[in-house]
Amino acid sequence: MLHTDLSRNTLRQVFEDHCLQAHAGVPGVLRIDGPAPGPSLGILAMTHGNEPAGLAAFYTLLQAQTLQQQLRCGRVYLILNNLAAGRRYFEEAQDLSFTAHYRFVDQDMNRMPEPVQGELAGDSSEIRRARELLPIYAELDAVLDLHSTSAPSAPMLIEIDPEQSPLQVPGVNVMLRGILDHLIGKALVSLCGQAKGYVLECGSHEEPASLLIAQEAAWRLLEQLDMVMPRPHAPSPLTIYQIYRAIIFPDESYQLQRILHSFECLPAGTLLAEGEGQPIVIDRESWVIMPPPRLKPVHPGSEFLYLASRETS
Ligand SMILES: [Zn+2]
């Protein structure tokens, strides 16, 4: 059952309740066991502290013990990833149109270092949290990481493994291919051992539509893994955007020429941004992916937006 009326207060309550859960001594993790053996699925919320869509998925699964009653096999871990950033977001964020400062505490939890012999080096808030979650991540056969975007956008699947069939979610008609190659660091799902990874940008933060997509995605993955009774649905075609470049400004003097919109098509030769060094000009027809609604990045040195070519499936 999907819930259309989730308020910020309800999401905050889901967050607070989940912070009190613990599995194997790790806070913010709840495990639900089915009556028969089966896959271990992890559903991840708030990898970024200002992206509460995953809490809507927790709500639909936990409300009235719905998942507990419907789970046919296996086990589901509901994991609140960035507890510290999420807490700051719920306690401090006033202007919900601009929450980028609550994305993380010390470093982006979706840009992790490469583990060395199973260990993560470093001592940030996010590294410490990932380190305590690693043993749980290692148990997963499949993982769904639920995100959202700062600017209005259609929901987008992030392709993790081209060999893997995509998650079918009604209302999700876009898939981004090749983005992992352009991230400065490893996506969090890469830490989840051999698990099949599914990452979904559900739409913009706190939009009611994004909260619905997150709920739908959680149920559809459970169905796809045969962990709950499948509901019929017609597969919808995906438009695939092949990411070929992340735009990272060389220094803080740079800014875009204008605000860009999600999936906007720019012709070859477009002057994208200027600063004290070389201007940034795009060399081919490109679609704009995940542009923030501003001219300069909040976090200098991060990927500010992506450029893609377009394919149809
Ligand atoms: Zn995110």
Side-chain angles (χ1 to χ4, degrees):
M1 174 174 176
L2 305 186
H3 300 269
T4 55
D5 53 352
L6 297 180
S7 66
R8 180 172 168 81
N9 275 343
T10 301
L11 296 175
R12 181 172 183 162
Q13 194 59 53
V14 175
F15 175 82
E16 301 287 350
D17 291 347
H18 217 83
C19 285
L20 300 176
Q21 300 288 348
H23 173 72
V26 181
V29 181
L30 173 64
R31 192 177 96 182
I32 297 170
D33 286 88
S40 289
L41 166 64
I43 298 178
L44 313 183
M46 295 191 111
T47 300
H48 291 133
N50 61 334
E51 300 178 5
L55 298 173
F58 288 9
Y59 186 86
T60 181
L61 299 173
L62 295 174
Q63 183 71 357
Q65 296 199 308
T66 311
L67 178 61
Q68 186 80 65
Q69 289 169 8
Q70 295 192 15
L71 191 60
R72 302 200 289 193
C73 66
R75 53 182 54 163
V76 179
Y77 292 86
L78 303 181
I79 302 173
L80 199 47
N81 263 341
N82 199 332
L83 288 177
R87 181 162 300 287
R88 284 181 38 187
Y89 164 76
F90 278 116
E91 289 179 355
E92 298 172 20
Q94 300 290 332
D95 175 6
L96 296 183
S97 68
F98 181 65
T99 59
H101 293 299
Y102 305 101
R103 183 175 171 86
F104 54 80
V105 175
D106 295 322
Q107 72 177 92
D108 191 329
M109 201 171 176
N110 209 27
R111 305 288 187 277
M112 287 280 104
E114 181 87 47
V116 177
Q117 294 179 333
E119 299 286 335
L120 286 172
D123 192 34
S124 67
S125 172
E126 281 73 18
I127 292 280
R128 288 193 296 276
R129 178 63 176 156
R131 200 177 278 143
E132 66 180 359
L133 288 167
L134 277 178
I136 296 172
Y137 293 158
E139 289 185 27
L140 304 178
D141 301 305
V143 60
L144 172 64
D145 192 10
L146 293 163
H147 289 257
S148 53
T149 55
S150 54
S153 169
M156 300 171 281
L157 287 166
I158 309 292
E159 187 178 68
I160 302 299
D161 177 0
E163 302 291 310
Q164 186 182 298
S165 55
L167 178 61
Q168 289 278 346
V169 185
V172 179
N173 305 110
V174 169
M175 184 163 75
L176 305 183
R177 176 165 284 163
I179 196 166
L180 296 191
D181 298 337
H182 298 279
L183 301 183
I184 312 169
K186 292 183 75 73
L188 186 93
V189 293
S190 311
L191 300 182
C192 297
Q194 299 304 307
K196 285 185 176 179
Y198 301 91
V199 179
L200 182 60
E201 296 284 350
C202 297
S204 69
H205 311 324
E206 296 192 68
E207 270 293 310
S210 310
L211 304 180
L212 278 174
I213 289 287
Q215 296 174 64
E216 184 74 88
W219 283 117
R220 292 294 173 179
L221 182 54
L222 282 157
E223 292 172 23
Q224 200 162 301
L225 296 170
D226 238 359
M227 295 173 76
V228 299
M229 185 80 78
R231 293 167 292 161
H233 73 283
S236 45
L238 286 171
T239 300
I240 296 172
Y241 291 86
Q242 174 79 46
I243 307 288
Y244 74 87
R245 183 177 178 186
I247 297 296
I248 302 165
F249 288 163
D251 61 54
E252 293 184 38
S253 70
Y254 278 77
Q255 69 171 38
L256 292 178
Q257 293 296 102
R258 62 176 175 82
I259 299 285
L260 297 169
H261 303 287
S262 297
F263 307 112
E264 186 176 345
C265 182
L266 302 175
T270 299
L271 172 61
L272 199 66
E274 284 184 300
E276 286 166 6
Q278 289 287 319
I280 299 175
V281 179
I282 61 171
D283 64 0
R284 67 190 89 167
E285 182 182 57
S286 298
W287 279 261
V288 177
I289 305 296
M290 287 194 264
R294 59 189 74 93
L295 297 175
K296 292 168 85 93
V298 175
H299 305 291
S302 62
E303 309 90 339
F304 188 39
L305 56 90
Y306 303 89
L307 299 176
S309 55
R310 190 166 74 174
E311 306 166 14
T312 45
S313 62

